[in-house]
Amino acid sequence: MKNKIHLIKGFVVLSFFLITNLVFSQGKNTSSRAIWDASDVALIVIDYQPEMLDAIVSGNKDFIALNAKYLTRVATALNIPIVMSTVAVDMGINKPTVPTIAEELPKGQKIIDRSSMDAWEDPAFLDAVKATGKKKLVFIGLYTEICLVYPVVEAKKEGYDVMFLTDAVGGISVEAHNIAIDRMIQAQAIPNTTHAYILELFRDWKSPLVPKMRPIFDWYKIERDKLNLPGVGTW
C-alpha cells in the first residue's frame, strides 16, 4: 500500500514538473540568442493605407509613416523577407498602401489584400509568412488595437518570436493604442522602437552590412529632422 502511495506521489510530482516546464517554455525565445540579427527575421507590414493613417491620433502620423518607409527600405536593402498586406482594397472599401511606403518593396513583390481584420486568419497572408522560413517576426501595423494586435498575439500563440515597433504604429485613440501595447506585452511579444531595432540588426560598425546602411541612415536623419518633433533629437 505504501509503495502505491509513493508511486502516486511520484507521478503527481513528475506531472507537475512537466506541466510547469511546458508552460514556462512557451514564452521562451526560439533562438539561442536574445539579440535579433538581420538574417533571422521577417518584416510584417499591415494596413498602411490612407484611411488608417488619416485616423491616427495616438502619435504623429507623419513620423509613423516615415518609420514604416524606413523599415521597409532597410529590409529591402538587407534582403530581409517582407510580407506587406492591406485590408478591403479589392472590396472597394479602402485604398491601397500609400505609395511612399509601397515603393520601398522589392521590385515585383505583390501586396496581399484581405477581408479579415485579423491577417492571421487570411490563408494567403499566413502562407506568405510561413514561406519566409523565419521564426522571428517583426510587426508593424495600423491600427495598433485592431489589425496589429490580432496577428501579433496569434503568432505568439503559434510559437513565433514576435517584436513590434511602437513608434511605427498608431491607434484611433491614445487609450486604445496603449491598451493594445499592454496586451501584446502580456502575450510576451517584445516592444522596441524603429531605429533601435535597425541598429540591433547589425550592431558592429565593422559589419559588412554597414555600407548598405549608411546612405539609408543619412536619408532618415534628414527626413526625421524635417518633422521637427518635440522630444526627438538630432544625431
Side-chain angles (χ1 to χ4, degrees):
M1 184 67 178
K2 288 183 178 181
N3 288 338
K4 283 186 176 180
I5 292 173
H6 285 310
L7 284 172
I8 292 171
K9 285 182 177 179
F11 177 78
V12 170
V13 170
L14 178 60
S15 299
F16 178 79
F17 172 79
L18 291 173
I19 292 170
T20 303
N21 188 57
L22 176 62
V23 169
F24 279 98
S25 68
Q26 286 179 344
K28 290 183 179 178
N29 199 302
T30 55
S31 170
S32 59
R33 296 199 64 192
I35 293 295
W36 291 36
D37 290 315
S39 60
D40 294 334
V41 306
L43 177 66
I44 315 299
V45 182
I46 299 174
D47 299 353
Y48 284 80
Q49 299 161 256
E51 297 86 354
M52 284 64 168
L53 281 166
D54 287 346
I56 290 172
V57 298
S58 64
N60 185 293
K61 61 189 69 177
D62 293 328
F63 189 46
I64 289 167
L66 174 61
N67 284 335
K69 180 180 178 72
Y70 180 32
L71 289 159
T72 309
R73 181 176 292 195
V74 168
T76 298
L78 300 185
N79 296 315
I80 292 171
I82 305 168
V83 178
M84 187 175 287
S85 183
T86 54
V87 65
V89 174
D90 291 343
M91 297 170 64
I93 298 173
N94 294 326
K95 295 177 183 177
T97 302
V98 293
T100 52
I101 296 172
E103 68 187 12
E104 299 295 342
L105 281 173
K107 188 175 181 179
Q109 179 167 334
K110 294 182 178 180
I111 298 173
I112 300 166
D113 191 53
R114 325 174 313 276
S115 61
S116 175
M117 288 179 281
D118 181 0
W120 211 256
E121 294 177 339
D122 185 85
F125 176 89
L126 198 53
D127 287 347
V129 171
K130 292 177 180 178
T132 68
K134 306 298 183 182
K135 291 294 288 182
K136 290 177 177 288
L137 305 180
V138 179
F139 278 83
I140 59 172
L142 304 177
Y143 306 111
T144 316
E145 65 272 20
I146 304 172
C147 295
L148 176 64
V149 71
Y150 298 162
V152 162
V153 298
E154 296 260 47
K156 276 301 302 177
K157 184 69 174 179
E158 293 197 15
Y160 287 87
D161 291 328
V162 176
M163 181 181 289
F164 63 95
L165 307 176
T166 58
D167 57 354
V169 304
I172 57 176
S173 75
V174 173
E175 182 180 14
H177 171 80
N178 290 341
I179 291 297
I181 296 293
D182 289 345
R183 180 180 178 185
M184 290 185 286
I185 291 172
Q186 287 181 352
Q188 298 184 328
I190 302 168
N192 206 345
T193 54
T194 296
H195 194 58
Y197 152 74
I198 287 171
L199 292 177
E200 185 173 340
L201 294 178
F202 66 91
R203 299 180 301 284
D204 191 327
W205 289 112
K206 292 182 179 179
S207 165
L209 300 180
V210 170
K212 295 181 179 180
M213 296 302 303
R214 282 193 179 277
I216 302 177
F217 288 156
D218 292 341
W219 162 83
Y220 179 67
K221 180 183 184 303
I222 292 169
E223 295 302 315
R224 192 184 71 166
D225 290 352
K226 286 179 185 177
L227 297 176
N228 193 28
L229 297 170
V232 178
T234 60
W235 41 272

